[in-house]
């Protein structure tokens, strides 16, 4: 019994989330039966979750720094439009001999556009000290406007059928885009846990002033963080374009609210410094299970938006109450030998 209690106390948010996810899956199986567990539904879930999962991962990284990125969907759509422009033949003439080269250039263009969008956000936040919510709200409008100017509000169709293979290819019946998302999750988890910049992101979210006085270069850290966010957005844009074979302004508008919901549900602190990639993956799976169940039950799209909004508010209030209860508990002091180790982990100068 004591072992179970210690396990629960070790990471309360993760354990609560695991129990909630299990409850959701059991309920869906009981209500929908084979329609939920069917192979086609599982494959459909894995396909739909890929681009959204990458956007949620980008949002989670922004929240670790104590910020938020409201421009992730607009940046992804702009990157997708740039990618689709190359694939439509508007910029480069497509022939049988250069189709592979055009695909490579289009993918590179999407990644570069995503990173540039992220760097612009990082520049506004780090160099001009604009609060993240205002900086990314401004770039959200900017990226949407640039997309409208490029496309005149029209959809850009992809003229290379082979590009759609990225969205439909499978490995051992598992969609490749889902595996790409899993690799991105694993890569970011490694970056946050085993690299100095990764650990400093947590400390920046916890106390950016203390990190600055330790000798760390906060501006560069924010630029690197938002460049990584832009890279994730660029990968999401490539998947988005390959899945729908086109790109247009307004695609994926609902992703922003859902990405925030997934991150908050995963226990990420909106003030920064706390959050786990593993919890984010679990939260993503739970939300996608609900999304899939709503689709099977043919729930009204407006009702879905209402449910996501109600869930977000409920989770935020519950997190606030749990955090208040945790704050009232006495905190054990770190043993003397743990202090030098903690300083070493974040690269603090003595």
């Amino acid at each position: 019994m004591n072992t179970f209690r210690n396990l629960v106390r070790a990471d309360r948010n993760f354990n609560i989330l695991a129990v909630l996810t299990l409850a959701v899956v059991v309920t869906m199986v009981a209500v929908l039966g084979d329609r939920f567990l069917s192979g086609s539904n599982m494959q459909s879930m894995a396909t739909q979750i890929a681009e959204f999962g990458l956007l949620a991962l980008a949002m989670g990284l922004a929240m670790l720094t104590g910020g938020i990125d409201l421009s992730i969907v607009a940046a992804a759509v702009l990157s997708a439009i740039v990618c689709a422009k190359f694939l439509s033949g508007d910029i480069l003439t497509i022939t049988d001999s250069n189709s592979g080269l055009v695909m490579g250039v289009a993918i590179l263009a999407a990644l570069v556009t995503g990173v540039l969008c992220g760097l612009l956000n990082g520049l506004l936040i780090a160099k001009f000290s604009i609060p993240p919510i205002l900086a990314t709200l401004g770039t959200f409008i900017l990226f949407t406007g640039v997309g409208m100017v490029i496309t005149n509000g029209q959809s850009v169709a992809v003229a290379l059928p082979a590009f759609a293979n990225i969205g439909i290819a499978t490995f051992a019946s598992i969609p490749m885009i889902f595996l790409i998302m899993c690799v991105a999750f694993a890569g970011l988890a490694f970056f946050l846990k085993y690299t100095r910049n990764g650990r400093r992101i947590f400390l920046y979210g916890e106390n950016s002033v203390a990190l600055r006085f330790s000798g760390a270069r906060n501006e560069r850290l924010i630029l690197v963080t938002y460049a990584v966010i832009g890279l994730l957005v660029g990968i999401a844009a490539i998947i988005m374009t390959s899945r729908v074979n086109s790109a247009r302004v307004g695609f994926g508008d609902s992703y922003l609210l859902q990405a925030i919901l997934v991150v908050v549900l995963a226990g990420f602190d909106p003030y920064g410094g706390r959050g786990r990639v593993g919890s984010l993956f679990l939260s993503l799976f739970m939300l996608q299970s609900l999304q899939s169940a709503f689709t099977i039950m043919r729930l009204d799209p407006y009702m879905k938006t209402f449910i996501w909004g109600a869930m977000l508010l409920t989770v935020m209030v519950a997190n606030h109450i749990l955090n208040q209860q945790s704050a009232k508990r006495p905190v054990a002091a770190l043993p003397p030998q743990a202090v030098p180790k903690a300083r070493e982990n974040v690269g603090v100068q003595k």
Side-chain angles (χ1 to χ4, degrees):
M1 191 64 183
N2 288 335
T3 305
F4 177 74
R5 284 178 181 171
N6 291 335
L7 186 64
V8 171
R9 287 174 181 172
D11 193 334
R12 186 189 57 190
N13 287 327
F14 182 82
N15 290 312
I16 292 174
L17 185 60
V19 171
L20 280 175
T21 305
L22 184 62
V24 167
V25 172
V26 169
T27 305
M28 293 301 110
V29 171
V31 173
L32 301 174
D34 291 341
R35 287 186 294 169
F36 182 78
L37 289 176
S38 67
S40 60
N41 185 53
M42 291 293 134
Q43 200 165 46
S44 173
M45 283 174 57
T47 301
Q48 292 170 12
I49 207 174
E51 67 208 39
F52 171 56
L54 289 166
L55 294 176
L57 194 59
M59 181 64 77
L61 190 53
M63 279 200 184
L64 282 180
T65 65
I68 189 170
D69 191 345
L70 299 178
S71 68
I72 51 170
V73 176
V77 169
L78 179 58
S79 302
I81 287 172
V82 172
C83 180
K85 274 288 183 183
F86 279 97
L87 295 170
S88 67
D90 288 348
I91 298 176
L92 296 174
T93 303
I94 301 173
T95 62
D96 291 339
S97 59
N98 73 350
S99 58
L101 176 64
V102 172
M103 283 178 58
V105 172
I107 290 172
L108 184 63
L111 295 177
V112 170
T113 304
V115 172
L116 288 177
C117 290
L119 283 174
L120 177 59
N121 283 328
L123 191 68
L124 293 171
I125 295 165
K127 296 294 184 185
F128 296 95
S129 301
I130 300 175
I133 190 169
L134 296 180
T136 56
L137 179 62
T139 51
F140 161 72
I141 299 170
L142 175 69
F143 299 154
T144 303
V146 173
M148 288 293 286
V149 169
I150 293 175
T151 64
N152 290 321
Q154 303 297 313
S155 177
V156 181
V158 173
L160 267 176
F163 192 75
N165 291 335
I166 297 175
I168 59 177
T170 59
F171 177 78
S173 299
I174 302 172
M176 285 298 295
I177 54 176
F178 177 75
L179 296 177
I180 291 172
M181 186 202 74
C182 290
V183 170
F185 267 74
L188 188 64
F190 180 88
F191 171 74
L192 291 173
K193 187 170 183 179
Y194 294 107
T195 68
R196 178 172 294 182
N197 277 336
R199 292 190 293 268
R200 282 179 171 174
I201 288 174
F202 286 97
L203 187 54
Y204 180 90
E206 193 73 32
N207 192 331
S208 61
V209 176
L211 182 62
R212 183 184 295 278
F213 278 102
S214 73
R217 297 175 63 181
N218 284 6
E219 290 80 8
R220 190 174 68 176
L221 182 67
I222 289 299
L223 283 173
V224 169
T225 303
Y226 277 86
V228 173
I229 290 173
L231 182 63
L232 292 171
V233 164
I235 299 172
I238 294 167
I239 294 174
M240 190 187 297
T241 309
S242 66
R243 275 208 321 116
V244 298
N245 235 7
S246 64
R248 64 174 174 81
V249 174
F251 182 84
D253 280 347
S254 62
Y255 284 164
L256 184 59
L257 173 63
Q258 293 178 35
I260 296 173
L261 173 59
V262 165
V263 175
V264 173
L265 195 62
F268 280 61
D269 190 342
Y271 296 105
R274 193 182 68 196
R276 291 181 56 179
V277 174
S279 298
L280 188 60
F281 190 88
L282 205 55
S283 173
L284 189 64
F285 176 73
M286 184 174 75
L287 199 72
Q288 185 57 44
S289 298
L290 286 171
Q291 174 86 353
S292 177
F294 293 160
T295 302
I296 293 173
M297 292 187 289
R298 298 180 180 178
L299 205 64
D300 189 279
Y302 300 113
M303 181 59 73
K304 289 182 190 175
T305 305
F306 166 76
I307 292 173
W308 300 143
M311 279 185 68
L312 179 58
L313 291 175
T314 304
V315 171
M316 291 175 75
V317 171
N319 281 342
H320 176 73
I321 294 172
L322 290 172
N323 289 336
Q324 277 194 324
Q325 290 177 346
S326 297
K328 292 177 182 175
R329 292 174 188 159
V331 179
L334 283 175
Q337 63 271 22
V339 176
K341 182 66 177 175
R343 292 167 64 91
E344 181 186 339
N345 282 343
V346 294
V348 174
Q349 295 178 350
K350 296 181 180 177

